[in-house]
């Protein structure tokens, strides 16, 4: 059994010093923003229109090239709301580059930002979009085969509430789009994907189909609920034995046990995915409806306020506060420097400061009069007397 083949890509890329390089004639690489098992992701800029882009890089001599294939999958699925737009694919002298729309943090990043705890509201709002993304990919005759929180990213700017699916290097056509013929059932496959989220059948070496993406998704969703899946943290002498232990736990634990203390809908979802037959088309609408009804029963509103939204707001407020402090300190230092140079200026500055304070005081008292009504006004009058 094997997961993704280990590439030599990262080692080779480390020597390339790619910052500032131009790819595809107009995209300048700015800085590395991520790395995966196959290479490096850079933030870049389109030098013609100034738009931000993301560039996935793969060394030209990599053992198992995947980037051209990934570009083809993006092309074949076509532009879609939940997938990053493909902008360019090409080979440079020493590396291949796939240029796409720049996205924001992954669900794994956001889960960490939220101290590895998502509320039910966030999980359900995500589940709805996660199911839509899978449905879209499946409708275009592909299965993803590496469904995990790192491969779902939120957008940026006006798309910051939209969920995107990425990383199609392991995707596979499960059906011929013209003849609608499904790939045949086989039992001699190596595991493709990530053991933690892989379906039981994928770990057993059975050819993957739509049901396996769905089962992986059910594990992702429970991962968000629980903070950790029961088969995480297993220690074994080697990878092979570790995967065997993971599989053993997945098979032996009953679903109601995995999902205990959570609304029954989560167990229903996992059971549904595990009971699908090889060629079955999942009923995505039924599954979304299941979660939507629960969402409504809990009186939530689908307002796209996720757990991290508040954290982002708090973070922004803290940044603003820090900026204000910095400005105040800078002003004070500047005044002090000036006054050291010229004692006369020190007097002028002190006069100015006193005037500023007086203006602020009078502004404050007038605000009290306007804002708090007559009661305070009388009080102020008395105090003034
Ligand atoms: N369009 C994008 N915008 C912003 N960040 C991105 C984008 N695409 C990828 N990333 C970042 O780079 C990381 C790795 O990308 P990707 O999953 O495509 O590479 P990979 O080598 O196939 O990864 P792995 O095998 O580890 O899943 C992502 O998890 C994400 O953090
Ligand atoms: Mg990935």
């Amino acid at each position: 059994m094997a997961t993704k083949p280990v590439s030599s890509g990262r080692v080779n890329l480390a020597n390339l010093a790619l910052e500032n390089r131009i790819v595809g004639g107009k995209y300048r690489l700015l800085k590395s923003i991520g790395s995966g098992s196959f290479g490096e992701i850079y933030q870049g800029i389109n030098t013609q229109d100034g738009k931000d882009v993301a560039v996935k890089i793969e060394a030209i001599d990599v053992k198992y090239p995947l980037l051209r294939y990934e570009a083809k999958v993006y092309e074949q699925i076509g532009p879609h709301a939940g997938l990053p737009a493909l902008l360019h694919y090409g080979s440079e002298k020493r590396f291949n580059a796939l240029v796409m729309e720049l996205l924001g943090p992954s669900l794994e990043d956001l889960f960490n930002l939220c101290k590895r705890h998502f509320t039910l509201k966030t999980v359900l709002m995500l589940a709805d979009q996660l199911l839509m993304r899978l449905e879209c990919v499946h409708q275009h005759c592909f299965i993803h085969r590496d469904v995990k929180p790192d491969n779902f990213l939120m957008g940026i700017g006006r798309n910051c509430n939209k969920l995107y699916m990425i990383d199609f290097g392991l995707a596979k056509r499960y059906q011929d789009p013209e003849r609608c013929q499904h790939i045949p059932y086989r039992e001699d496959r190596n595991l493709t994907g990530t053991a933690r989220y892989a379906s039981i059948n994928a770990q057993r070496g059975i050819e993957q189909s739509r049901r396996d993406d769905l089962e992986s998704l059910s594990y992702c969703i429970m991962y968000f609920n629980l903070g950790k899946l029961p088969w995480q943290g297993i220690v074994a002498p080697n990878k092979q034995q570790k995967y065997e232990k993971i599989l053993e736990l997945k098979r032996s634990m009953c679903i109601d046990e995995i999902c205990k203390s959570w609304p029954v809908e989560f167990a229903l979802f996992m059971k549904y995915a595990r009971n699908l037959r090889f060629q079955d088309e999942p009923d995505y609408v039924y599954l979304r409806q299941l979660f939507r009804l629960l969402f409504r029963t809990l009186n939530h509103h689908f307002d796209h306020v996720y757990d991290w939204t508040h954290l982002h707001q708090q973070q922004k407020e803290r940044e603003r506060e820090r900026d204000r402090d910095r400005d105040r300190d800078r002003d004070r230092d500047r005044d002090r420097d000036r006054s050291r140079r010229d004692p006369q200026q020190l007097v002028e500055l002190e006069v100015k400061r006193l005037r500023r304070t007086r203006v602020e005081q009078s502004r404050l008292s007038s605000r009290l009069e306007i804002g708090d009504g007559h009661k305070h006004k009388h009080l102020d009058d008395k105090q003034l007397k």
Side-chain angles (χ1 to χ4, degrees):
M1 187 191 296
T3 45
K4 278 185 177 182
V6 178
S7 81
S8 55
R10 210 180 299 177
V11 181
N12 296 344
L13 284 172
N15 307 323
L16 287 180
L18 295 175
E19 274 87 2
N20 276 322
R21 289 283 293 266
I22 296 280
V23 301
K26 59 177 177 181
Y27 302 102
R28 184 185 297 282
L29 302 181
L30 297 177
K31 57 173 181 187
S32 167
I33 51 167
S35 62
S37 36
F38 290 96
E40 217 44 52
I41 311 284
Y42 281 78
Q43 182 172 341
I45 189 164
N46 179 336
T47 53
Q48 288 176 1
D49 61 14
K51 283 195 178 140
D52 292 324
V53 295
V55 187
K56 191 166 176 176
I57 301 282
E58 174 189 75
I60 206 102
D61 54 352
V62 73
K63 212 167 164 191
Y64 303 98
L66 280 178
L67 210 54
R68 175 186 290 276
Y69 176 76
E70 184 170 3
K72 274 207 173 129
V73 176
Y74 276 121
E75 228 172 66
Q76 283 173 19
I77 295 180
H80 189 275
L83 264 58
L86 172 71
L87 303 169
H88 164 81
Y89 172 80
S91 294
E92 304 293 322
K93 226 181 188 173
R94 296 168 65 190
F95 59 88
N96 305 315
L98 184 158
V99 184
M100 62 186 140
E101 181 183 353
L102 180 72
L103 302 173
S106 73
L107 292 187
E108 180 67 13
D109 298 330
L110 291 165
F111 197 45
N112 285 327
L113 181 75
C114 296
K115 301 196 168 64
R116 306 188 64 76
H117 177 260
F118 280 164
T119 57
L120 211 47
K121 181 188 174 195
T122 289
V123 173
L124 291 172
M125 285 196 297
L126 287 177
D128 193 71
Q129 293 192 70
L130 287 162
L131 279 162
M132 279 202 280
R133 298 301 165 257
L134 265 197
E135 183 178 8
C136 159
V137 172
H138 292 175
Q139 268 172 355
H140 287 86
C141 299
F142 279 98
I143 45 171
H144 186 277
R145 301 201 298 176
D146 198 13
V147 169
K148 60 178 181 181
D150 320 65
N151 286 339
F152 291 98
L153 272 55
M154 298 307 289
I156 52 172
R158 64 191 167 92
N159 292 323
C160 68
N161 291 328
K162 204 187 321 174
L163 184 76
Y164 291 78
M165 195 173 192
I166 61 154
D167 197 359
F168 288 83
L170 297 178
K172 178 173 178 165
R173 266 235 143 94
Y174 69 90
Q175 187 168 274
D176 179 327
E178 265 108 53
R179 287 179 298 152
C180 288
Q181 200 173 3
H182 199 285
I183 49 168
Y185 179 88
R186 287 172 63 164
E187 293 185 349
D188 55 354
R189 290 301 194 192
N190 284 331
L191 171 65
T192 304
T194 306
R196 186 192 294 172
Y197 303 101
S199 70
I200 292 178
N201 284 329
Q203 282 204 265
R204 286 173 58 210
I206 296 172
E207 179 82 71
Q208 297 192 45
S209 62
R210 288 170 283 190
R211 62 178 180 175
D212 301 280
D213 276 353
L214 211 64
E215 188 176 323
S216 296
L217 191 59
S218 76
Y219 298 148
C220 292
I221 290 174
M222 275 321 286
Y223 168 80
F224 292 139
N225 278 338
L226 299 167
K228 188 172 182 263
L229 288 165
W231 42 87
Q232 265 178 262
I234 288 177
V235 186
N238 56 45
K239 249 187 184 166
Q240 177 77 19
Q241 287 180 30
K242 187 173 166 177
Y243 293 164
E244 272 161 22
K245 281 188 172 179
I246 292 176
L247 175 59
E248 206 179 290
L249 249 178
K250 277 181 194 163
R251 291 172 95 163
S252 62
M253 269 188 94
C254 100
I255 291 179
D256 291 323
E257 174 68 14
I258 301 172
C259 304
K260 72 164 188 267
S261 5
W262 294 94
V264 68
E265 284 77 358
F266 294 104
L268 282 176
F269 177 30
M270 203 177 278
K271 284 177 194 169
Y272 178 87
R274 281 214 196 153
N275 285 328
L276 286 169
R277 285 162 305 175
F278 179 63
Q279 293 200 12
D280 277 350
E281 181 186 3
D283 190 344
Y284 312 91
V285 177
Y286 157 71
L287 294 168
R288 282 175 58 212
Q289 204 57 25
L290 201 68
F291 289 134
R292 281 188 171 208
L293 281 174
L294 171 63
F295 194 75
R296 221 172 297 155
T297 314
L298 296 169
N299 265 325
H300 291 310
H301 298 285
F302 214 112
D303 52 9
H304 290 282
V305 178
Y306 301 93
D307 293 326
W308 57 84
T309 312
H310 295 305
L311 285 173
H312 271 170
Q313 274 164 2
Q314 283 167 11
Q315 209 172 335
K316 269 189 203 147
E317 189 46 49
R318 272 201 299 274
E319 276 164 17
R320 269 197 293 269
E321 187 67 32
R322 258 203 311 273
D323 287 349
R324 274 197 294 268
D325 285 352
R326 209 186 37 226
D327 288 351
R328 242 196 327 265
D329 289 351
R330 208 182 34 217
D331 285 355
R332 206 188 43 223
D333 290 349
R334 202 183 44 214
D335 287 356
R336 204 183 296 144
D337 278 358
R338 273 196 207 141
S339 65
R340 263 195 221 118
R341 271 183 257 130
D342 182 354
Q344 175 57 32
Q345 228 172 23
L346 176 66
V347 179
E348 281 170 17
L349 282 170
E350 187 58 17
V351 171
K352 259 193 215 161
R353 194 186 62 78
L354 283 170
R355 248 187 238 143
R356 256 199 323 255
T357 315
R358 219 174 297 147
V359 170
E360 265 167 26
Q361 270 173 351
S362 71
R363 223 183 265 151
L364 190 72
S365 59
S366 66
R367 211 182 299 153
L368 275 174
E369 284 168 27
I370 298 161
D372 292 352
H374 297 295
K375 209 168 149 203
H376 277 112
K377 191 168 188 288
H378 290 312
L379 202 88
D380 286 345
D381 287 346
K382 265 186 222 150
Q383 277 172 346
L384 283 172
K385 275 176 213 161

